[in-house]
């Protein structure tokens, strides 16, 4: 049974190879083949899952050693897989949501002539992402990590004819490089500290290592997580990444890839547990991003960018939870899974809306769509209720747990983090209600597109609606299913461990406070957008609004500090290179050349001069030899 | 004993004179040399008796067969263990048969063989009066530009004497590194030098330049020989013997008996030191080390290019072989005296060769200075005074020989109306016109520069490693710096060939016969094989690195 693990990765990898190398002949069946292989991966995952359920919790770690990758004295890198409960959760999420989004894309990309290539990239992404979560060592994880980065780059820039898409892809790639650097440094630090980078040996020997080293490794891992999961300060790429086709935004930039950072932190839990300073930084990053994303989400009129802000914010919750240590690991992953459902559903809904509205993304030009797109409205609405944490739906359970855990951290930290999480819940309710109202309620504010076509909103084909329905079901029930009887906690605890912490206030109070926040958020949004006419052209807005529309000036900050700073640095380096380094080099070359010119004059062609030189040389040698002895 | 003996008239002296033994010569072990010298003598007879028309074929055939047979004999001796377990001194103490000797002889013979191919090349120059011509003068004795020269050209004469001359030179070179007494050393020196002087003089084109080169070489060579001979005399005065083993024993003090006839001089260290310096100087002249290098550029430029290639490779091998034997067998006890001086010579040689090469504009002169710099690199290995030093020098010599011969063979191909186009400006853009030839030359240049994956790198690495381990770290630093300087002019030629616009009146590349192609092909093959897989050959050189005493 364990030998099936490699197939999980191999199936989509084969799909990617066939689709990308196959050529035009596969244009007509490529999308079906890609979907089939993704589904195949999911089926294998389900088989493995049922097998795993049949075993006692201690025996649920499967492993498969494929081959020795770099067998060198003192450096052993293997291609080996480890499938435990944590990996299994991810595998099911990735292959399940992945398959749904493959199906959705069949309809969504129907008119795109490069559809085969698109499915090839999607398959490549699945293979890389599965490799990332299945690897049993950090080096192989790094391969998957880079693989998803590549797939993300290719898919963001899929419509490369649009300069904005090409730029966005480049931006995502560059920002991610910073994070990747963190991961590679972390791996190097692990190798020098532990002599290996396999999960087992590294995480088991944490106890014998100094806290300073662990903190360094932890911070580098956090840097990696920030890049991949769009956390402050490496968050700037995610909004632009929405240039990619919407299924990509749903799969990669909402449900799976961007959560890789959370996986990395939870997987490396042992390191963080032993490095409280690194943990504190993790929680700070999570809390800041949580608010940052939420505020950005409030101001965006582009439906996908509003959702992207929301994604950032929700991942902020997960990172915050992961930074809490054993109190929060399980809830980080649980929120990750439920978020995978409802955020993917929301994105697919957004894609469905765009599909019906001539690819319009500005919510100010939507309105009243509930009558025209009932399925989209209902599924999107369920996703909306889930994300704001409406009682009984998925988000309610998972987010509530994180807020509780934040308070349970204890001390001032606990109060601050808990309050931030609560505030985030209120803002989430606000911006999601705003999206909901602007899109589906109110009056029609439809505008003809650039070529003068009036939009004729209509429901999307069933290949698109069915995945939305499935995800909506998950959005509604997953949280409850996981939480009742602590199913999810019991499932993951053997891997991540769990600790209840010391909550200063009872769970009931936290839930009550969350509900109050929810009502406040929804209420304000209703007052602002539900009761009043929504202008088609965005009003100027307050200073904060304007800043939030510009992503809280992230790009301006990066430009001034990093780009300008970098330019100045390189300019000064170039100056030093030209004057000092080249001066020395050219000076040396010139003096050698000059010496050469003078020396060659000695070679005058007269035998008599040559003979004198020989005689002189002989005299010197004889004299020197005698002198040596004399000295 | 007590019984009075009846003495004849002739034996009444108080002491019976010692019996004269018939010299015992191990012909089989000396067969490589004997084959080559024998073929050379035969070549003279061919000149005398074979009709002019067929002389070229007979001579070329004879030379090639002789060299191949001699090489086979060397391989046979090596396989028979004469390089290792059976190594000994043959021919009444005159010649050593040991690992270094056999390795160097094998190298010289192979280098000689591929050089002979370029000697025999007759397709590069256009036919003259319907006769195919090679690189050599129609009649060396005719005055350049004279009527007799014209007549000789018209008659289609060629200087087929070059083949026996080359064989004589090779014969001398085979003895040179194997010589085990100072007189044999000197005779071998002269045996290989005199034919070389002649060979330098017989270029077909630019005859005056060729003759000038030969005269310069001859005069300076004679000058150097005089120093050597004087040094030998002083050493004899010091040790009372010319045998390496005896001199060495006197140097290290294990022989203390003094020959009464030499009582005034024996054991006088001044004689030893001056004699050593002078003999070493003669050898340094042959390898082209500064300050005894000044003949090199002029002679390399003036000599017929096939001869230049041969001389640059084989002479260096033979001379370094002799130098190694002298320093390691005769003078190890003196190494604290000669090492500092050799240090200085090596440093000056490396730097001067590399620096002066930068401003050269003629490809043959450029390669001449390059050979000076390489002599410096090899000296660094000699100075290591360790088994690794010996084997690294052996390896370097083998690698360097084939690169050199190959490079000069390529030079013979690039021609314009005046013969070989050796001015660098004419090589501009060669890579566009003849990418293959330019690429091959680039390989040789990279090997000269010591770029990895060529034999030049492996050789340089071995030599510098040995030198560093032998405590000559500073020498290695200078070596690396000069390598960097040298890389500049090698790579400049590559840039010139590939990244410059070809000139309108640029040279053409002649299509050679299979002979020169073989030479170049072997050069490239050896360069790359020794670069990719040097270990086998390093091991071979390592096994061959022990001198017999």
């Amino acid at each position: 049974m364990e030998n099936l693990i490699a197939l999980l990765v191999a199936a989509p990898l084969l799909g990617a190879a066939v689709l990308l190398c196959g050529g035009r002949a596969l244009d007509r069946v490529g999308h079906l083949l890609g979907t089939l292989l993704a589904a195949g991966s999911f089926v294998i995952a389900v088989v493995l899952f049922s097998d795993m359920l049949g075993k006692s919790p201690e025996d649920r770690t499967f492993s498969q050693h494929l081959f020795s990758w770099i067998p060198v004295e003192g450096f052993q890198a293997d291609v080996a897989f480890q499938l435990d409960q944590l990996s299994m959760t991810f595998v099911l999420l990735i292959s399940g949501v992945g398959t749904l989004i493959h199906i959705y894309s069949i309809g969504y990309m129907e008119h795109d002539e490069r559809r085969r290539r698109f499915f090839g990239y999607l398959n490549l992404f699945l293979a890389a992402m599965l490799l990332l979560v299945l690897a049993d060592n950090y080096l192989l994880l790094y391969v998957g990590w880079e693989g998803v980065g590549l797939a993300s780059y290719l898919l963001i820039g899929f419509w490369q004819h649009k300069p904005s898409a090409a730029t966005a892809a480049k931006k995502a790639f560059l920002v991610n490089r910073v994070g990747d650097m963190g991961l590679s440094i972390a791996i190097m630090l692990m190798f020098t500290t532990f002599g290996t980078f396999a999960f087992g040996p590294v995480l088991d020997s944490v106890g014998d290592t100094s806290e300073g080293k662990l903190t360094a490794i932890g911070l580098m891992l956090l840097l990696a997580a920030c890049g991949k999961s769009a956390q402050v300060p490496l968050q700037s790429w995610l909004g632009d990444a929405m240039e990619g086709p919407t299924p990509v935004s749903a799969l990669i930039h909402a449900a799976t890839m961007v959560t890789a950072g959370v996986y990395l932190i939870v997987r490396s839990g042992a390191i963080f547990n032993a490095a409280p300073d690194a943990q504190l930084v993790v929680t700070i990053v999570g809390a800041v991003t949580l608010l940052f994303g939420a505020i950005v989400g409030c101001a965006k009129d582009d439906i996908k960018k509003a959702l992207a802000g929301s994604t950032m914010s929700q991942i902020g919750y997960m990172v915050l939870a992961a930074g809490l240590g054993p109190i929060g690991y399980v809830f980080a992953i649980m929120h990750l899974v439920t978020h995978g459902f409802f955020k993917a559903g929301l994105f697919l809904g957004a894609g469905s809306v765009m599909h019906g509205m001539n690819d319009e993304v500005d919510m100010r030009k939507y309105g009243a769509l509930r009558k025209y797109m009932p399925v989209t409205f209902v599924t999107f609405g369920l996703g909306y209720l889930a994300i704001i944490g409406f009682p009984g739906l998925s988000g309610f359970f998972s987010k509530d747990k994180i807020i509780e855990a934040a308070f349970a951290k204890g001390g001032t930290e606990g109060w601050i983090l808990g309050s931030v999480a609560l505030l985030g819940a209120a803002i989430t309710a606000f911006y999601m209600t705003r999206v909901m109202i602007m899109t589906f309620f109110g009056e029609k504010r439809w505008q003809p597109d650039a070529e003068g076509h009036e939009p004729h909103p209509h429901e999307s084909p069933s290949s698109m609606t069915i995945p939305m329905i499935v995800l909506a079901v998950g959005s509604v029930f997953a949280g409850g299913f996981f939480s009742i009887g602590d199913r999810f906690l019991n499932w993951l605890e053997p891997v991540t461990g769990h600790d209840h912490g010391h909550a200063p206030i009872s769970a009931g109070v936290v839930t009550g406070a969350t509900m109050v926040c929810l009502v406040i958020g929804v209420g304000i949004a209703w007052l602002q957008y539900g009761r009043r006419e929504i202008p088609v052209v965005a009003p100027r807005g307050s200073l904060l609004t304007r800043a939030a529309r510009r992503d809280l000036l992230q790009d301006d900050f990066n430009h001034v500090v990093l780009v300008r700073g970098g330019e100045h640095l390189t300019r000064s380096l170039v100056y030093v290179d030209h004057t000092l380094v080249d001066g020395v080099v050219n000076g040396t070359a010139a003096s050698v050349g000059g010496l050469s010119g003078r020396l060659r004059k000695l070679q005058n062609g007269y035998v008599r001069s040559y003979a004198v030189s020989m005689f002189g040389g002989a005299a010197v040698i004889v004299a020197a030899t005698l002198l040596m002895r004399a000295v | 004993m007590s019984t009075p003996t009846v003495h004849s008239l002739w034996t009444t002296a108080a002491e019976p004179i010692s019996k004269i033994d018939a010299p015992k010569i191990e012909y089989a072990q000396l067969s490589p040399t004997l084959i080559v010298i024998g073929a050379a003598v035969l070549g003279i007879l061919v000149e005398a008796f074979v009709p002019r028309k067929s002389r070229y074929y007979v001579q070329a055939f004879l030379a090639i067969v002789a060299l191949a047979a001699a090489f086979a004999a060397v391989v046979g001796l090596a396989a028979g263990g004469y390089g290792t377990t059976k190594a000994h001194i043959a021919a009444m103490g005159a010649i050593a048969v040991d690992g270094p000797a056999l390795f160097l002889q094998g190298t010289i013979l192979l280098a000689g063989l591929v050089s002979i191919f370029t000697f025999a090349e007759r397709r590069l120059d256009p036919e003259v009066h319907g006769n195919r011509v090679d690189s050599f003068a129609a009649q060396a004795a005719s005055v350049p530009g004279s009527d007799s020269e014209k007549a000789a050209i018209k008659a289609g004469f060629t200087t087929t004497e070059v083949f026996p001359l080359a064989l004589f030179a090779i014969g001398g070179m085979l003895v040179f590194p194997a010589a085990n007494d100072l007189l044999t050393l000197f005779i071998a020196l002269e045996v290989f030098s005199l034919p070389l002087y002649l060979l330098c003089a017989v270029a077909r084109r630019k005859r005056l330049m060729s003759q000038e080169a030969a005269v310069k070489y001859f005069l300076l060579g004679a000058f150097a020989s005089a120093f050597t001979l004087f040094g030998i005399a002083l050493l004899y005065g010091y040790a009372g013997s010319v045998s390496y083993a005896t001199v060495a024993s006197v140097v290290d003090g294990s022989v203390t008996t003094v020959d009464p006839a030499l009582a005034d001089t024996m054991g006088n260290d001044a004689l030893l030191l001056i004699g050593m310096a002078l003999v070493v100087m003669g050898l340094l002249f042959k390898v082209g080390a500064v300050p005894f290098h000044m003949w090199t550029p002029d002679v390399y430029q003036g000599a017929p290019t096939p001869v230049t290639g041969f001389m640059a490779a084989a002479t260096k091998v033979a001379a370094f072989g002799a130098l190694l034997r002298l320093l390691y067998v005769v003078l190890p006890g003196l190494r604290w005296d000669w090492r500092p001086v050799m240090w200085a010579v090596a440093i000056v040689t490396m730097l001067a060769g590399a620096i002066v090469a930068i401003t050269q504009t003629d490809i043959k002169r450029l390669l001449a200075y390059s050979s000076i710099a390489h002599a410096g690199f090899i000296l660094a290995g000699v100075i290591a005074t360790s088994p690794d030093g010996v084997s690294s020098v052996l390896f370097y010599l083998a690698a360097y020989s084939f690169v050199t011969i190959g490079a000069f063979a390529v030079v013979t191909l690039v021609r314009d109306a005046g013969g070989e186009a050796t001015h660098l400006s004419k090589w501009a853009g060669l890579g566009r016109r003849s990418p293959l030839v330019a690429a091959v030359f680039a390989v040789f240049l990279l090997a000269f520069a010591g770029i990895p994956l060529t034999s030049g790198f492996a050789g340089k690495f071995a030599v510098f490693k040995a030198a560093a381990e032998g405590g000559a770290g500073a020498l290695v630093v200078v070596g690396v710096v000069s390598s960097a300087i040298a890389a500049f002019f090698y790579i400049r030629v590559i840039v010139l060939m590939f990244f410059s616009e070809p000139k309108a009146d640029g040279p053409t590349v002649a299509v050679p016969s299979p002979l020169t192609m073989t030479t170049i092909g072997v050069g490239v093959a050896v360069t790359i094989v020794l670069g990719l897989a040097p270990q086998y050959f390093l091991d071979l050189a390592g096994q061959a690195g022990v001198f017999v005493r």
Side-chain angles (χ1 to χ4, degrees):
Chain A
M1 192 57 77
E2 301 191 345
N3 293 336
L4 288 178
I5 299 175
L7 280 183
L8 285 170
V9 181
L13 194 62
L14 174 75
V18 169
L19 293 178
L20 294 178
C21 306
R24 296 242 169 92
L26 290 171
D27 272 356
R28 299 181 61 185
V29 294
H31 51 287
L32 297 178
L33 180 68
T35 311
L36 203 65
L37 285 166
S41 205
F42 179 62
V43 169
I44 299 167
V46 170
V47 170
L48 282 164
F49 179 58
S50 61
D51 186 53
M52 190 180 273
L53 283 181
K55 303 200 170 178
S56 65
E58 304 82 59
D59 298 334
R60 282 178 178 170
T61 301
F62 297 169
S63 59
Q64 182 183 5
H65 182 271
L66 220 53
F67 57 89
S68 256
W69 179 19
I70 312 174
V72 185
E73 181 73 32
F75 182 97
Q76 182 70 32
D78 290 332
V79 174
F81 300 124
Q82 170 185 323
L83 183 68
D84 56 8
Q85 291 92 324
L86 180 60
S87 301
M88 193 73 240
T89 311
F90 271 91
V91 167
L92 285 172
L93 176 73
I94 295 161
S95 60
V97 176
T99 305
L100 289 176
I101 283 168
H102 273 75
I103 296 170
Y104 178 91
S105 304
I106 295 175
Y108 191 85
M109 301 297 284
E110 193 174 356
H111 304 296
D112 198 301
E113 50 188 38
R114 293 162 72 230
R115 182 165 66 166
R116 171 181 56 83
R117 182 177 290 269
F118 180 80
F119 276 84
Y121 291 159
L122 276 189
N123 271 358
L124 176 66
F125 167 76
L126 277 192
M129 188 73 201
L130 288 168
L131 182 66
L132 195 165
V133 298
L134 283 169
D136 92 329
N137 61 70
Y138 283 97
L139 199 65
L140 192 60
L141 179 147
Y142 188 72
V143 176
W145 191 270
E146 292 293 317
V148 294
L150 169 67
S152 164
Y153 166 80
L154 292 169
L155 286 165
I156 294 171
F158 186 73
W159 288 320
Q160 57 204 210
H161 54 270
K162 287 198 295 184
S164 56
T167 312
K170 220 184 285 176
K171 183 175 179 183
F173 198 82
L174 286 176
V175 176
N176 266 292
R177 293 313 305 165
V178 181
D180 296 349
M181 192 65 81
L183 184 54
S184 58
I185 292 174
I187 294 174
M188 293 179 218
L189 285 174
M190 280 176 203
F191 185 73
T192 55
T193 312
F194 306 108
T196 175
F197 29 66
F199 289 152
V202 167
L203 301 177
D204 288 346
S205 49
V206 160
D208 317 327
T209 313
S210 75
E211 194 184 316
K213 279 188 177 169
L214 292 174
T215 305
I217 295 174
L219 290 177
M220 284 299 121
L221 289 174
L222 174 65
L223 182 65
C226 284
K228 202 56 90 192
S229 296
Q231 300 294 291
V232 175
L234 297 178
Q235 81 290 356
S236 65
W237 63 273
L238 187 61
D240 297 85
M242 297 301 126
E243 288 290 341
T246 307
V248 171
S249 311
L251 176 61
I252 301 184
H253 305 120
T256 56
M257 185 193 83
V258 285
T259 60
V262 181
Y263 171 79
L264 185 67
I265 295 174
V266 174
R267 178 57 84 193
S268 315
I271 294 175
F272 286 96
N273 293 344
D277 293 341
Q279 251 180 345
L280 180 64
V281 180
V282 174
T283 53
I284 292 172
V285 165
V288 170
T289 312
L290 185 170
L291 290 180
F292 188 104
I295 292 169
V296 169
C298 293
K300 290 288 183 183
D301 292 328
D302 178 326
I303 185 168
K304 287 179 71 182
K305 292 200 170 169
L307 290 177
S310 160
T311 302
M312 213 185 276
S313 169
Q314 298 301 314
I315 298 172
Y317 271 109
M318 301 170 208
V319 170
L320 168 61
L324 296 172
I327 316 175
Y329 290 142
V330 172
F331 304 128
I333 301 298
M334 187 159 106
H335 193 55
L336 191 156
V337 176
T338 57
H339 175 258
F341 283 115
F342 57 67
K343 186 52 67 61
L346 288 169
F347 264 109
L348 293 192
S352 176
V353 169
M354 287 159 57
H355 198 67
M357 293 292 288
N358 292 347
D359 287 329
E360 180 59 62
V361 290
D362 189 348
M363 291 189 291
R364 291 184 184 278
K365 297 172 184 168
Y366 290 168
L369 289 175
R370 66 181 182 283
K371 296 167 211 156
Y372 302 89
M373 309 174 84
V375 179
T376 306
F377 167 62
V378 171
T379 54
F380 195 92
L382 290 172
Y384 155 72
L385 291 176
I387 191 174
I388 64 172
F390 192 81
L393 272 65
S394 288
F396 167 76
F397 292 102
S398 54
K399 198 189 294 177
D400 197 46
K401 292 284 189 196
I402 293 180
I403 298 171
E404 275 177 37
F407 280 112
K409 172 85 174 166
T412 324
E413 270 172 62
W415 281 104
I416 294 174
L417 295 173
S419 311
V420 168
L422 268 180
L423 180 60
I427 305 177
T428 306
F430 171 80
Y431 68 71
M432 282 312 300
T433 309
R434 174 176 175 268
V435 168
M436 198 65 197
I437 292 173
M438 286 174 88
T439 306
F440 292 103
F441 293 92
E443 296 301 315
K444 295 179 192 175
R445 299 178 302 277
W446 307 345
Q447 305 284 323
D449 66 10
E451 284 140 36
H453 300 298
E454 288 292 336
H456 297 287
H458 54 85
E459 192 51 83
S460 300
S462 57
S463 66
M464 290 168 66
T465 52
I466 288 170
M468 287 155 61
I469 294 167
V470 174
L471 289 170
V473 170
S475 312
V476 174
F477 298 110
F481 179 78
F482 290 160
S483 291
I484 293 165
D486 284 338
R487 280 200 185 100
F488 202 75
L489 181 61
N490 294 334
W491 162 252
L492 267 189
E493 197 181 349
V495 182
T496 59
H498 188 63
D499 178 3
H500 288 288
H502 311 283
I505 41 178
S506 76
V509 175
V510 173
T511 309
T514 313
M515 284 307 111
V516 172
C517 288
L518 168 67
V519 171
I520 292 172
V522 173
I524 294 176
W526 172 251
L527 289 176
Q528 199 169 344
Y529 298 99
R531 290 202 325 179
R532 288 190 226 152
E533 186 107 339
I534 297 166
V536 173
V537 178
R540 190 151 180 271
S542 68
L543 197 64
L544 181 64
T545 311
R546 274 180 281 149
R549 279 188 192 137
R550 298 189 60 136
D551 302 293
L552 292 177
L553 305 179
Q554 61 181 17
D555 291 337
D556 306 79
F557 175 83
N558 286 347
H559 186 76
V560 171
V561 175
L562 301 177
V563 178
R564 291 262 178 78
E567 279 172 357
H568 283 297
L569 183 66
T570 50
R571 253 182 240 150
S572 16
L573 286 178
V574 165
Y575 178 76
V576 171
D577 184 51
H578 277 179
T579 51
L580 199 68
V581 178
D582 286 5
V584 171
V585 170
N586 294 339
T588 312
S591 53
V592 169
L595 188 61
S596 174
R598 277 192 289 281
L599 280 181
R600 72 181 291 200
K601 294 210 175 101
L602 294 176
Q603 190 79 27
N604 57 13
Y606 292 116
V607 177
R608 53 176 189 259
S609 311
Y610 297 176
V612 166
S613 138
M614 282 170 62
F615 188 82
V620 169
I621 285 184
V622 168
T625 314
L626 290 174
L627 268 179
M628 282 301 148
R629 182 59 71 91
V631 173
Chain B
M1 290 298 280
S2 59
T3 317
T5 317
V6 179
H7 295 292
S8 77
L9 183 63
W10 306 106
T11 54
T12 51
E15 290 287 322
I17 60 161
S18 54
K19 205 170 88 208
I20 295 177
D21 290 322
K24 181 165 157 286
I25 305 291
E26 296 87 340
Y27 290 102
Q29 291 157 37
L30 304 179
S31 57
T33 315
L34 297 178
I35 291 171
V36 173
I37 299 281
V41 172
L42 212 57
I44 302 286
L45 295 177
V46 169
E47 283 301 320
F49 296 109
V50 173
R52 200 183 275 278
K53 270 191 177 171
S54 39
R55 270 185 218 162
Y56 163 80
Y57 300 100
V58 176
Q59 291 285 26
F61 178 77
L62 182 64
I64 289 169
V65 167
L67 292 173
F71 181 71
V74 168
V75 172
L77 286 174
Y82 285 99
T84 48
T85 49
K86 291 200 219 160
H88 71 128
I89 310 290
M92 308 283 291
I95 289 177
V97 180
D98 61 3
L102 289 175
F103 188 94
L104 293 167
Q105 287 175 340
T107 308
I108 292 167
L109 285 167
L110 275 187
L113 187 60
V114 292
S115 297
I116 286 293
F117 290 155
T118 60
F119 278 47
E121 177 63 55
R122 298 174 76 166
R123 295 228 187 125
L124 297 175
D125 257 328
E127 293 185 0
V128 180
H129 303 299
N131 299 307
R132 282 193 173 162
V133 294
D134 50 25
S135 305
F136 303 101
Q139 195 166 37
S142 60
V143 176
S146 66
D147 290 339
S148 76
E149 185 193 35
K150 287 186 189 118
I153 292 174
K154 195 166 184 187
F157 292 177
T158 52
T159 310
T160 45
E161 291 90 340
V162 293
F163 294 102
L165 283 173
L167 287 180
F168 274 123
I170 293 171
M173 289 171 184
L174 294 180
V175 177
F176 202 46
N180 199 48
D181 68 46
L182 292 166
L183 276 184
T184 311
L185 179 80
F186 183 73
I187 291 166
L189 173 69
E190 292 306 311
V191 167
F192 86 75
S193 294
L194 291 169
L196 283 181
Y197 302 146
L198 274 177
L199 284 171
C200 289
V202 297
R204 171 169 289 269
R205 311 232 185 198
K206 298 178 189 152
R207 288 193 62 200
L208 286 173
M209 199 170 158
S210 168
Q211 292 180 352
E212 180 189 331
V215 171
K216 280 181 183 169
Y217 192 16
F218 171 66
L219 287 174
L220 295 172
F223 194 45
S225 292
F227 279 97
T228 310
L229 198 54
F230 188 46
I232 289 173
L234 292 178
L235 285 179
Y236 177 75
Y238 168 78
S241 165
V242 290
S243 151
Y244 279 13
T246 313
V247 178
S249 306
V250 178
V251 169
D252 63 24
S254 56
V255 170
T256 48
T257 54
V258 174
D259 185 340
L262 293 166
D264 290 346
T265 56
M266 256 191 91
N268 183 336
D269 276 357
L271 292 186
L272 170 65
L273 293 173
I274 298 172
M276 173 193 82
L278 294 181
V279 174
V280 166
M281 186 222 119
L283 296 176
L284 290 178
F285 172 82
K286 279 292 164 196
V287 303
V290 177
F292 315 109
H293 67 289
M294 297 187 108
W295 60 276
T296 321
D298 292 10
V299 174
Y300 278 24
Q301 188 185 15
T305 309
V307 174
T308 310
F310 168 63
M311 187 162 69
T315 310
K316 252 199 182 65
V317 178
F320 267 110
L323 186 63
L324 275 178
R325 190 177 293 281
L326 190 71
L327 294 179
Y328 280 63
V329 173
V330 185
L331 303 169
L334 271 190
R335 71 177 169 281
W336 303 113
D337 292 293
W338 60 256
R339 273 185 71 160
V341 178
M342 294 294 275
W343 262 66
V345 171
I347 288 175
V348 177
T349 305
M350 287 190 274
L351 283 177
I355 289 175
V356 182
I358 289 177
T359 42
Q360 297 307 314
T361 52
D362 184 281
I363 190 78
K364 285 169 82 176
R365 285 185 85 84
L366 181 92
L367 291 177
Y369 281 103
S370 142
S371 90
I372 294 170
H374 281 279
F377 299 141
I378 302 174
L379 276 177
V382 172
I383 291 168
T385 47
S386 65
D388 275 354
V390 178
S391 63
S392 70
V393 169
L394 296 183
F395 180 86
Y396 200 119
L397 288 170
Y400 176 77
S401 303
F402 289 94
V403 181
T404 304
I405 294 173
F408 279 107
V410 174
V411 171
T412 63
L413 303 184
V414 182
R415 310 179 82 91
D416 59 15
E420 288 160 10
T422 55
H423 199 274
L424 267 182
S425 65
K426 298 198 173 162
W427 285 57
L430 192 72
R432 309 254 178 107
R433 287 196 190 151
S434 308
L436 183 64
V437 169
V440 165
F441 198 62
V443 169
F444 291 137
L445 289 172
L446 292 175
F448 278 135
I451 305 296
L453 303 185
T454 64
S455 60
F457 173 76
K460 228 176 231 176
F461 184 82
V463 165
F464 286 165
K465 181 165 164 281
E469 284 170 357
L475 208 55
V476 174
V477 172
V478 176
V480 171
V481 169
S482 349
S483 297
I485 298 173
F488 168 76
F489 60 79
Y490 294 128
I491 289 169
R492 194 183 59 169
V493 176
I494 296 179
V495 171
L496 189 71
M497 289 194 299
F498 286 98
F499 301 104
S500 302
E501 284 302 318
K503 284 193 174 173
D505 59 343
T508 52
V509 169
V511 179
S513 70
L515 289 167
T516 301
M517 281 188 201
T518 309
T519 305
I520 297 174
V522 169
V524 172
V526 171
T527 303
I528 289 173
V529 169
L530 291 192
L532 291 178
Q535 197 55 49
Y536 172 77
F537 299 93
L538 281 170
D539 290 345
L540 193 68
Q543 287 169 17
V546 183
F547 288 100
V548 68
R549 182 175 155 186

